[in-house]
Amino acid sequence: PAFTWAEAVCWVMRRLCKPYVLTLHGGNLPAFAQRSPRRVRRLLASAAKVTAPSGYLREQMSDYRPDIVLLPNPLELANYLFRERAEPQPQIIWLRAFNSGYNPSLAAKVVALLRNDFPDIHLLMIGRDKGDGSFQTFQQTVESLGIESHVDCPGGVAKSDVPSWLNKGDIFLNTTNVDNTPVSVMEAMACGLCVVSTNVGGIPYLLEHETDALLVPPNDPEAMAAAVRRILTEPDLSVRLSHNARRKAEQFDWGTILPQWEHLLAEVAHRG
């Protein structure tokens, strides 16, 4: 549906003789493009410029438009208070919408595997219910594993409140099966949380294993639990991940990204 809306809006722009810039989003976009290559190639060719927020999407979509410009998703870095995780506690944060593609139930399985070794482990699941049944599946998983006392689900939170919620924990889980360049992971990095993520889609283009995050195979609770255990038991590892994550996030500050957008839009306006 989002692609159809884009086609409609771009048709209007062409009728008005206005140049436009397209920005690619979504970890599933390459799969969609394979199913509808002519539609995708036609729409991308119609734009004055096409941008992508990750090297992953730029690479995957280069057959449909070879001159895609890399422009990362930005952060207002000053809004994210950094705290070094020198002595991380088993306080785990998950921040996404409840959607089956993000595999939220994996987080519950990880907690269940760790609770005997870390009895005070706690999982904070922050996000809206997208209505595809994944929230109910997550609740059922929590109940079947008997970890109700270890899990809280506050629902969706305001964007301005995200930094304070993130700083309630020390470890951030990204459990997704499909992804591109998730802003929630970038926000966690800006706050200095130790990130454990599945290595799907654009994630390896954003995160470097053992440097600013730990990457594990998708839908593998044992591997993800082992990564969390390492963070909780290897102090040097947590400090390294925390500081390097913040350094990586600094590359996405609006102060760095905005001039790139200004240059691109000025170029488009000049040609128009």
Side-chain angles (χ1 to χ4, degrees):
F3 195 86
T4 301
W5 277 110
E7 289 175 314
V9 171
C10 291
W11 179 85
V12 172
M13 295 295 284
R14 290 195 298 273
R15 292 296 296 268
L16 295 173
C17 297
K18 300 291 185 181
Y20 51 87
V21 175
L22 291 175
T23 297
L24 308 179
H25 283 290
N28 265 333
L29 182 59
F32 175 84
Q34 288 181 347
R35 295 193 302 271
S36 304
R38 294 180 63 184
R39 285 179 68 190
V40 172
R41 189 170 286 110
R42 183 169 56 246
L43 184 63
L44 269 57
S46 72
K49 291 283 185 180
V50 178
T51 75
S54 71
Y56 167 71
L57 273 188
R58 182 173 64 173
E59 179 181 293
Q60 292 291 312
M61 300 299 291
S62 61
D63 287 345
Y64 307 94
R65 172 92 183 218
D67 61 342
I68 296 172
V69 178
L70 178 62
L71 272 174
N73 292 323
L75 291 177
E76 195 69 60
L77 198 66
N79 294 337
Y80 298 88
L81 177 66
F82 171 74
R83 176 165 59 83
E84 179 191 83
R85 268 57 181 193
E87 298 180 358
Q89 301 302 307
Q91 303 298 312
I92 299 175
I93 304 289
W94 184 96
L95 175 61
R96 296 298 285 261
F98 278 87
N99 179 285
S100 59
Y102 298 150
N103 196 12
S105 294
L106 175 58
K109 296 173 184 177
V110 169
V111 169
L113 289 171
L114 293 169
R115 63 175 170 175
N116 289 336
D117 292 335
F118 306 97
D120 57 342
I121 193 169
H122 184 262
L123 173 63
L124 191 59
M125 299 286 292
I126 306 168
R128 296 179 293 111
D129 179 5
K130 297 291 283 187
D132 68 346
S134 57
F135 180 68
Q136 289 72 27
T137 299
F138 172 79
Q139 289 180 311
Q140 292 167 2
T141 302
V142 168
E143 293 174 4
S144 66
L145 294 171
I147 57 172
E148 295 94 330
S149 62
H150 297 276
V151 178
D152 282 317
C153 298
V157 301
K159 183 69 172 179
S160 59
D161 294 334
V162 165
S164 61
W165 280 96
L166 285 173
N167 272 308
K168 294 178 183 290
D170 289 337
I171 299 172
F172 185 89
L173 294 188
N174 186 47
T175 57
T176 184
N177 292 327
V178 177
D179 226 328
N180 178 29
T181 307
V183 173
S184 59
V185 173
M186 294 162 55
E187 291 175 312
M189 295 168 72
C191 292
L193 277 80
C194 298
V195 175
V196 179
S197 175
T198 52
N199 60 351
V200 299
I203 293 298
Y205 292 74
L206 173 66
L207 303 175
E208 184 177 351
H209 180 55
E210 295 281 351
T211 298
D212 47 41
L214 296 181
L215 302 182
V216 299
N219 201 30
D220 189 335
E222 287 80 13
M224 187 163 274
V228 172
R229 182 177 285 107
R230 285 188 60 197
I231 291 170
L232 292 172
T233 57
E234 299 179 25
D236 291 343
L237 174 63
S238 64
V239 171
R240 181 173 76 247
L241 297 180
S242 181
H243 278 280
N244 288 339
R246 174 68 182 197
R247 292 191 189 100
K248 176 69 71 66
E250 289 170 355
Q251 300 175 19
F252 308 121
D253 184 51
W254 258 119
T256 299
I257 304 301
L258 181 57
Q260 299 177 50
W261 270 109
E262 291 174 333
H263 176 77
L264 182 142
L265 294 176
E267 182 181 346
V268 170
H270 177 72
R271 290 182 180 180

